[in-house]
Amino acid sequence: MTSPRRIAYQGEPGANSHQVCAQHYPDWEPLPCASFEDVFAAVEGGEADLAMIPIDNSIAGRVADIHHFLPGSGLHIVAEHFLRIRFHLMGVPGATLDQVRTVHSHVHALGQCRKIIREHGLVPLISGDTAGAAREVAEAADPTQAAISPPLAAAIYGLEVLAEDIEDEEHNTTRFVVLSRDLVQAPAGNGPVVTSFIFNVRNLPAALYKALGGFATNGVNMTKLESYMVGGHFAATQFLAEVDGHPDDPGLARALEELAFFTTEIKILGVYPADAFRS
């Protein structure tokens, strides 16, 4: 019998990243990792086949660590998935909302659920991650403590849901990318595709402006452009970009050809199907 393939994620069982793995890779064995660095190492070293990584959140913006690891990792983006972030308030069995005095969660989750915290006069306590908060509350077995965690965590740690969908904003959505050691490109002409790449601009006046001109003149929609400091220099020389389209599409092929004139390096990180959420 072959062992199931493994998909690594950052966080404890029950985290949002675990939720996305369970949703899109139900037959794979999820591998929880303590840090993003550990997730990348697990795939690079062959301990896992894929990694599920959050890259942007509609409220908190970009996930900074990922943008630090991605360019030099040698891993490739093979898919993207969007998850509508849902948070429940959960406590030990038998606890009631009136009994709760303190609420544990990741700092971002506490910031995204301010209304219920304020409404019930709860004292927020920061945990390493949202699922870890549920585990801490289960271990404490104290009815005055609650956790703000994803729905999956309640089942995993045996907690009771005291209030559902408590996030302040309904549009709270995280975009995840799936990373692989192998570059597997989506075929051209088979539905919407996203191409992610990094490039270094030459140190010339208006180099970035000229580099991007080809995308405008060839009608290519750029959905992301972010700058990096490289080697500790405060001049932004490296950029991460994402565009709609396949490198084999005539317009994008011409735009990338023009980009090469004004850059010292272009590296394709992934060519993958656009998630239906985008439309």
Side-chain angles (χ1 to χ4, degrees):
M1 185 179 160
T2 56
S3 57
R5 291 171 294 179
R6 304 175 94 189
I7 183 163
Y9 67 91
Q10 188 276 326
E12 297 195 34
N16 282 311
S17 297
H18 183 193
Q19 179 103 33
V20 187
C21 292
Q23 209 170 309
H24 295 282
Y25 296 85
D27 300 330
W28 290 51
E29 181 188 330
L31 177 67
C33 297
S35 67
F36 288 126
E37 204 164 358
D38 291 344
V39 176
F40 279 82
V43 179
E44 286 164 14
E47 196 186 345
D49 304 282
L50 297 177
M52 182 70 76
I53 293 288
I55 193 165
D56 299 293
N57 176 266
S58 61
I59 294 172
R62 80 180 193 177
V63 180
D65 288 357
I66 299 317
H67 294 261
H68 172 69
F69 291 125
L70 198 53
S73 70
L75 300 182
H76 306 280
I77 303 173
V78 294
E80 67 171 359
H81 300 292
F82 289 78
L83 179 72
R84 158 82 164 82
I85 301 300
R86 298 175 61 209
F87 287 124
H88 289 359
L89 185 72
M90 50 193 75
V92 296
T96 63
L97 189 48
D98 293 340
Q99 288 175 287
V100 176
R101 297 290 172 266
T102 61
V103 60
H104 303 242
S105 200
H106 185 271
V107 62
H108 283 168
L110 292 169
Q112 290 165 18
C113 302
R114 288 196 180 99
K115 287 177 189 167
I116 194 167
I117 293 172
R118 196 167 54 237
E119 200 179 309
H120 293 276
L122 307 177
V123 177
L125 297 173
I126 295 171
S127 297
D129 74 30
T130 53
R135 178 183 50 75
E136 289 162 11
V137 167
E139 286 169 358
D142 177 353
T144 70
Q145 295 183 22
I148 289 175
S149 301
L152 185 60
I156 289 176
Y157 300 106
L159 297 178
E160 280 183 11
V161 174
L162 306 177
E164 292 188 356
D165 298 330
I166 58 170
E167 58 279 359
D168 297 341
E169 303 288 347
E170 284 183 12
H171 65 74
N172 188 356
T173 302
T174 296
R175 176 177 171 239
F176 291 81
V177 291
V178 180
L179 304 179
S180 166
R181 285 185 300 280
D182 305 317
L183 176 59
V184 182
Q185 293 199 359
N190 192 28
V193 166
V194 178
T195 297
S196 296
F197 57 96
I198 48 175
F199 63 92
N200 290 22
V201 292
R202 294 180 185 278
N203 194 10
L204 299 165
L208 179 61
Y209 173 77
K210 290 171 183 171
L212 297 181
F215 294 93
T217 54
N218 287 291
V220 176
N221 184 33
M222 185 171 283
T223 54
K224 179 194 280 286
L225 179 67
E226 297 193 339
S227 62
Y228 288 85
M229 286 194 295
V230 178
H233 298 292
F234 280 88
T237 55
Q238 191 173 72
F239 294 85
L240 167 68
E242 290 185 349
V243 294
D244 291 343
H246 194 285
D248 292 346
D249 296 344
L252 182 51
R254 284 194 298 270
L256 290 171
E257 200 178 311
E258 282 187 47
L259 179 65
F261 287 112
F262 304 102
T263 55
T264 54
E265 182 195 12
I266 303 170
K267 180 182 174 187
I268 300 284
L269 293 178
V271 179
Y272 48 95
D275 188 282
F277 180 89
R278 286 178 180 265
S279 58

